Amino acid sequence: MGFFLEVLAGGLLAGVMYSLVAIGFVLIYKASGVFNFAQGAMVLFAALTFVSLLERGVPFWLSFVITLLAMVALALLIERAVLRPLVNRPPITLFMATLGLSYVIEGAAQALWGAQVHGLDLGIKDEPFEFAGLLLSQFDLFAAATAAVLVTTLSLLFSKTRIGLSLRAVADDPLAALAIGIRLQRIWAVVWAVAGFVGLVAGLLWGARLGVQFSLSLIVLKALPVLIIGGFTSIGGAIVGGLIIGASEKLAEVYIGPLIGGGIENWFPYVLALLFLLVRPAGLFGERAIERV
Amino acid sequence: MKTIKQQFHRIATTLVGAALLSGAAHAANEQYFPLQSYRVGPYAAGGTGFFGGFIDYMQYINAKGGVNGVKLTWSECETEYVVEKGVECYERLKKGLNGAPAAATNPLSVGIAYATLDRSTADKLPLITINHGRTDSTDGSVFPYAFPLQLNPYSEVSAIVNYIAQKSGGLDKLKGKKIVTLFHGSPYGKETNPILELLAKKYGFELTLIEVPHPGNEQQSQWLNIRRLKPDWVILRGWGVMNPVALKTAQKTGFPADHIIGNIWSNSEDDAAPAGDAAKGYISITTHPSGTSFAVLQDIKKNVIDAGKGNLADPKRFGNVYYNLGVVNGILNVEAVRLAQEKFGKKPLTGEQVRWGFEHLNLDDKRLKELGALGLVQPLKLSCADHEGGGAVRFQQWDGQKWNVISDWVQADRKLLRPIIEESSHKYAKEKNITPRDCSKES
């Protein structure tokens, strides 16, 4: 039983890390209906920029601020150069645009900062300690706390501020929002900038764990089943989806994996997501699309 | 009209001919190396280091006057480590450059090597897969143009098991030991599993094979399993991001780093450094120690790096594991050309002629000392039947900043492995309808 709980706890904490990436997707999808495939590339760009500045002797917080500014600049550039010309195009066009964008950002990040792997030490130990018989890591707990703060902040931003209300209005009906004077371009720029900030946070935490390297852009693959289960429009759903995926993939790897040759951790979440799609296409917390036909 | 057309045709033909002749004349004394390199994408860290070292060595040879006066030339084609691009690059570059014939291809990619194996044989162009590639291509009687130089995957795990035996007090002490192999979920990762099972049976150790799905950025469940198994040693057969994550997760689950032994693709600074403190004490194998103290590295520094011609974007990577592998690869390629020139003349050679050079490589300590590579390259003797030549590794340990060599050369049990290699190569020969060469008749 102790081992089961340990695997479960490890899985839940890993799931929080997946959620951090998934939140970036949710933000952009919520505000513009775009599935931003470039979110992984943004995570890579943010982490690589941060660590490269740090290695050049720039202090930690200044590196953080400069990287954040770079992410905002990137967001504005994307809005101006990619989204604005494609306004009112079908969602698949916008998706393809973000797919191309991910390659551009990945290439630009490597061209700008080089291809080598960087270590990133955030000063938080990743060593084990025992709590109630379970082996836990400070780093995982820090990541969970960061996710909690992020979710709370974003929820407040969406529900209590003027910009948040505008975001929700755009998400509900872009044309109606335009009609009452909300500036669509400004909202998109803001939401991409916030997604860039979320990407930076995710990049720092994932970078500290994996090393800052190209593979950071592949963590989007972990976020996809999280989004399918949690729903594309709910930040809370991204957290719940992450926890479900994290826990189930670890338990499956340990208890089902040995029966079928192991190495199932990668595809098992997608099987689970497919099952969810059959039962609940909008995910657990996603908005159901009701259309008159 | 006809006359004008004929005249135009004649002029055009003359111009094209002159251009070709001038190209050929220009390249009359050049030997070409087509480089299917990768400088962007997920494996760019390895690609930039390896091809940087290889190019810098060729620049150094050119600075010294070339190979018996024959200058080395090269051009790069970006593969991003993608097999289709690797094949496209092969086709684009195989014919040589400005009349300079291609000597050999060095893709540094298992996938590209597999995809171009048949083409290399058909085009009579050596395919060099230093420290990797198909294990059964060691048998040159079936694979005349493939060269898994220094170390094939089977030798790699055999040497690791021999090292564990040394540490345990002898091969007989392996009985009852628990060894876990954590392998990358790919054909590369799985390739050595049957040999490990064979060695486990032979020496009586308890083997558990645990797969990490690609790319390996989450390994919590695997390491919790390892913690439950309490093995004496973990063999890490990783690649890319899987390596630092393994070390970090090992630390998180309380497994000591100095009982993890990384294979040849888990042995670079880029594998250990990102794991920070978790990598301290981590052991891995190497065929080529890192460092800049070797005479050949000092010569490269003097003639290439200090002259501002170095290929590395970041000069701090000079002398790291990937860079030195590139230099070693350069030494072996250039030695093959040099040897082949002794037989075929001091001129640019065809791939078929360079193949002869590879097959007759014989680097003993005396020659390695002349090359300034004693201790950097292991003694190597190839033949028609043996395209690997070495089969030995040294062990190194990460101190938090750099690798330190902690063992002498540890040899693989090549006698045990040879029948398995031959069984596989003969099966391949049968499938492909290849009649193996009679190596006793080769000179």
Side-chain angles (χ1 to χ4, degrees):
Chain A
M1 191 61 187
F3 182 69
F4 172 85
L5 289 174
E6 212 161 71
V7 176
L8 181 67
L12 290 171
L13 291 168
V16 174
M17 295 282 282
Y18 303 158
S19 301
L20 279 172
V21 184
I23 289 170
F25 283 93
V26 170
L27 282 171
I28 290 174
Y29 191 83
K30 223 170 140 64
S32 56
V34 176
F35 179 79
N36 175 28
F37 198 81
Q39 187 64 29
M42 285 167 69
V43 170
L44 169 70
F45 186 86
L48 204 52
T49 305
F50 176 82
V51 80
S52 299
L53 290 170
L54 214 56
E55 284 175 2
R56 282 161 177 76
V58 181
F60 185 94
W61 286 109
L62 189 56
S63 300
F64 188 88
V65 172
I66 294 173
T67 309
L68 189 56
L69 291 175
M71 296 309 290
V72 171
L74 184 68
L76 295 175
L77 193 67
I78 290 170
E79 191 279 316
R80 183 61 63 94
V82 182
L83 297 180
R84 202 176 286 189
L86 293 176
V87 74
N88 281 337
R89 297 294 172 115
I92 188 67
T93 308
L94 289 160
F95 170 71
M96 294 308 286
T98 65
L99 190 65
L101 197 59
S102 69
Y103 284 99
V104 172
I105 296 173
E106 282 167 7
Q110 284 193 321
L112 200 61
W113 300 117
Q116 60 265 43
V117 184
H118 306 262
L120 175 59
D121 184 6
L122 296 178
I124 306 147
K125 290 278 177 202
D126 209 357
E127 287 166 5
F129 70 90
E130 275 212 26
F131 179 75
L134 298 178
L135 210 60
L136 296 172
S137 127
Q138 274 182 44
F139 187 89
D140 283 341
L141 295 176
F142 176 79
T146 306
V149 171
L150 206 60
V151 169
T152 313
T153 312
L154 290 173
S155 301
L156 289 173
L157 178 82
F158 274 107
S159 58
K160 305 283 181 199
T161 65
R162 199 174 170 81
I163 192 95
L165 287 175
S166 306
L167 278 170
R168 285 163 65 196
V170 171
D172 264 0
D173 190 336
L175 288 177
L178 265 177
I180 59 163
I182 293 174
R183 289 169 61 198
L184 206 57
Q185 281 85 4
R186 186 163 158 257
I187 294 299
W188 279 355
V190 168
V191 89
W192 275 77
V194 176
F197 169 71
V198 174
L200 172 59
V201 174
L204 295 190
L205 290 171
W206 274 99
R209 169 147 294 169
L210 311 183
V212 177
Q213 54 184 302
F214 189 89
S215 296
L216 278 179
S217 65
L218 300 178
I219 58 176
V220 290
L221 299 176
K222 289 281 184 187
L224 292 182
V226 171
L227 291 165
I228 293 171
I229 289 176
F232 280 78
T233 51
S234 165
I235 290 173
I239 294 288
V240 175
L243 295 175
I244 293 174
I245 290 294
S248 60
E249 73 172 17
K250 301 292 175 240
L251 290 169
E253 181 68 51
V254 171
Y255 292 105
I256 304 173
L259 306 175
I260 50 175
I264 69 170
E265 210 171 333
N266 261 13
W267 54 260
F268 184 82
Y270 284 90
V271 172
L272 204 63
L274 275 174
L275 293 174
F276 261 83
L277 272 180
L278 293 175
V279 184
R280 234 184 134 84
L284 285 175
F285 300 93
E287 286 162 14
R288 287 186 189 184
I290 300 167
E291 285 177 13
R292 192 188 296 273
V293 287
Chain B
M1 186 66 186
K2 197 180 170 187
T3 319
I4 294 170
K5 210 172 176 180
Q6 277 175 338
Q7 275 181 341
F8 177 74
H9 186 251
R10 199 164 50 233
I11 291 164
T13 313
T14 312
L15 283 173
V16 170
L20 284 175
L21 273 175
S22 83
H26 173 66
N29 218 23
E30 286 182 349
Q31 185 78 57
Y32 172 62
F33 281 90
L35 302 182
Q36 297 143 287
S37 57
Y38 41 98
R39 293 179 181 274
V40 293
Y43 306 114
T48 47
F50 174 82
F51 290 101
F54 191 10
I55 289 171
D56 281 355
Y57 185 75
M58 290 195 282
Q59 294 199 82
Y60 161 64
I61 292 295
N62 282 346
K64 292 279 176 190
V67 186
N68 294 315
V70 177
K71 291 271 180 170
L72 304 176
T73 178
W74 57 90
S75 65
E76 291 187 67
C77 177
E78 176 66 45
T79 70
E80 289 182 40
Y81 201 77
V82 174
V83 173
E84 306 86 275
K85 288 186 182 175
V87 174
E88 191 189 323
C89 288
Y90 172 89
E91 287 298 330
R92 197 186 304 158
L93 304 180
K94 70 179 185 185
K95 291 187 183 78
L97 181 72
N98 298 328
T105 60
N106 294 263
L108 195 72
S109 153
V110 176
I112 297 171
Y114 268 70
T116 55
L117 178 63
D118 291 345
R119 291 166 195 258
S120 299
T121 310
D123 296 329
K124 298 188 173 178
L125 191 59
L127 168 64
I128 310 307
T129 56
I130 188 167
N131 291 356
H132 67 287
R134 283 182 75 115
T135 300
D136 55 7
S137 66
T138 300
D139 183 356
S141 70
V142 175
F143 297 90
Y145 282 87
F147 291 86
L149 296 178
Q150 294 197 117
L151 188 71
N152 67 43
Y154 289 5
S155 295
E156 186 184 310
V157 286
S158 168
I160 292 175
V161 169
N162 287 347
Y163 176 76
I164 293 173
Q166 269 184 23
K167 285 282 176 196
S168 310
L171 284 165
D172 56 317
K173 299 286 191 302
L174 285 175
K175 198 173 172 61
K177 286 257 181 289
K178 281 186 186 174
I179 299 177
V180 164
T181 297
L182 193 68
F183 64 94
H184 189 261
S186 64
Y188 144 75
K190 291 171 188 170
E191 180 163 8
T192 52
N193 288 352
I195 296 304
L196 280 160
E197 280 164 347
L198 179 91
L199 294 170
K201 210 169 158 188
K202 182 175 165 72
Y203 298 120
F205 61 83
E206 197 183 307
L207 174 73
T208 308
L209 299 166
I210 299 179
E211 180 177 341
V212 174
H214 172 78
N217 51 21
E218 252 301 313
Q219 298 174 30
Q220 180 89 357
S221 46
Q222 287 83 357
W223 283 94
L224 283 173
N225 248 337
I226 289 171
R227 196 164 81 91
R228 189 165 58 157
L229 290 164
K230 295 188 174 64
D232 298 290
W233 294 90
V234 171
I235 298 173
L236 176 60
R237 190 168 171 75
W239 179 230
V241 70
M242 177 182 157
N243 295 317
V245 174
L247 296 170
K248 285 222 161 196
T249 321
Q251 184 193 45
K252 209 164 77 170
T253 50
F255 191 84
D258 60 1
H259 277 64
I260 304 173
I261 302 180
N263 82 326
I264 202 75
W265 300 113
S266 309
N267 76 347
S268 75
E269 290 82 356
D270 291 333
D271 297 311
D277 283 351
K280 264 188 198 166
Y282 167 54
I283 297 168
S284 77
I285 63 170
T286 185
T287 53
H288 50 281
S290 55
T292 58
S293 60
F294 305 100
V296 64
L297 267 290
Q298 285 302 311
D299 284 343
I300 291 173
K301 187 172 182 306
K302 200 169 104 190
N303 291 283
V304 180
I305 309 288
D306 292 348
K309 295 181 197 159
N311 188 267
L312 288 174
D314 179 3
K316 279 189 288 209
R317 299 176 74 204
F318 176 68
N320 77 5
V321 169
Y322 284 131
Y323 184 88
N324 283 6
L325 179 62
V327 171
V328 170
N329 195 59
I331 290 172
L332 299 180
N333 274 271
V334 170
E335 273 302 284
V337 170
R338 200 187 306 273
L339 264 178
Q341 282 185 356
E342 282 174 18
K343 183 176 168 71
F344 301 104
K346 289 168 182 167
K347 58 180 185 184
L349 304 171
T350 62
E352 191 178 7
Q353 290 167 329
V354 176
R355 186 198 70 81
W356 186 93
F358 276 109
E359 207 157 76
H360 290 80
L361 275 178
N362 185 5
L363 296 173
D364 54 12
D365 282 351
K366 184 172 165 278
R367 181 64 188 142
L368 288 173
K369 200 171 178 187
E370 286 166 7
L371 291 167
L374 191 63
L376 179 67
V377 186
Q378 61 184 286
L380 210 64
K381 186 172 180 358
L382 272 73
S383 66
C384 160
D386 178 11
H387 278 195
E388 179 192 31
V393 297
R394 295 173 85 174
F395 288 76
Q396 57 182 4
Q397 192 163 32
W398 183 254
D399 67 6
Q401 299 298 323
K402 62 180 192 315
W403 290 107
N404 298 301
V405 174
I406 56 167
S407 84
D408 203 348
W409 292 107
V410 177
Q411 191 65 47
D413 191 346
R414 299 185 78 209
K415 270 189 191 155
L416 175 80
L417 302 175
R418 186 69 198 185
I420 304 162
I421 289 169
E422 281 180 2
E423 191 187 332
S424 174
S425 65
H426 289 155
K427 196 174 149 205
Y428 177 86
K430 209 172 164 187
E431 276 169 18
K432 297 274 181 178
N433 213 12
I434 297 168
T435 308
R437 287 186 293 164
D438 181 353
C439 283
S440 64
K441 291 179 183 162
E442 293 284 324
S443 62

